[in-house]
Amino acid sequence: MNVAVRYQSRGGNTKAAAEAIAEILGVTAQSIDYPIDEKTDLLFLGGGVYMWDMDKSLKAYMENLDPEKVGQIAGFSTTGLMDVTLKRIREYGEKKGIPVCEEQLLLVMMLKGHSALGLTGGKLSDKHKQQIKDFVSKVLENK
């Protein structure tokens, strides 16, 4: 099975989550600056919440996803509390005809990594690391 991890991150939290996911899978996490160039059975795709929505760059990335190259998406997000990015990942995936896993990951980070406030992110707690392990395990179980 060919698996890829892509993320959009401003403050470092989603990047840290993506890197943890990738480490479990034995692949390299890459930012959404890197398109999916080869057939990928499972794409772990994540981003944060900005101004109550998914980042514009992640929207553009999803609009350009090729359904011939992506078999399924597993969405993840870091946030203060909102799950809007996960909803948008599902919406865009369905719009493109790419199935989205029922299992999703929402890591509540509160204001850690809020770049507009000058707060640094990218530090996962033990609880977050366990949530990531459980998420990856469940996604792979249902694949």
Side-chain angles (χ1 to χ4, degrees), residues 1-6 17-29 42-45 74 76 132-133 135-137 139-141:
M1 176 169 58
N2 192 10
V3 180
V5 179
R6 296 292 188 275
E19 288 172 345
I21 291 167
E23 184 178 338
I24 293 166
L25 296 167
V27 300
T28 301
L42 180 58
L43 171 62
F44 284 83
L45 182 63
F76 64 96
I132 290 168
K133 286 178 189 173
F135 166 65
V136 171
S137 179
V139 168
L140 294 177
E141 225 173 72

Side-chain angles (χ1 to χ4, degrees), residues 108-127:
V108 177
M109 309 288 286
M110 297 312 288
L111 293 177
K112 294 176 187 169
H114 197 295
S115 57
L117 298 176
L119 302 174
T120 57
K123 295 188 178 29
L124 300 173
S125 69
D126 289 341
K127 178 182 174 185

Side-chain angles (χ1 to χ4, degrees), residues 32-124:
I32 57 172
D33 295 331
Y34 296 89
I36 299 296
D37 291 329
E38 59 185 42
K39 178 72 173 141
T40 300
D41 301 306
L42 180 58
L43 171 62
F44 284 83
L45 182 63
V49 176
Y50 309 96
M51 300 299 292
W52 302 279
D53 204 356
M54 180 168 77
D55 189 83
K56 290 180 206 171
S57 65
L58 185 53
K59 287 180 185 179
Y61 183 83
M62 292 202 70
E63 286 173 356
N64 290 313
L65 276 179
D66 182 350
E68 297 295 317
K69 291 186 180 170
V70 179
Q72 188 174 27
I73 297 170
F76 64 96
S77 180
T78 58
T79 182
L81 288 173
M82 300 173 69
D83 65 351
V84 67
T85 295
L86 294 176
K87 289 178 182 176
R88 296 284 184 267
I89 287 172
R90 182 167 305 285
E91 287 170 11
Y92 277 81
E94 289 173 357
K95 186 169 121 179
K96 296 292 288 189
I98 304 170
V100 179
C101 297
E102 286 300 316
E103 187 67 38
Q104 296 179 309
L105 174 65
L106 183 68
L107 289 179
V108 177
M109 309 288 286
M110 297 312 288
L111 293 177
K112 294 176 187 169
H114 197 295
S115 57
L117 298 176
L119 302 174
T120 57
K123 295 188 178 29
L124 300 173

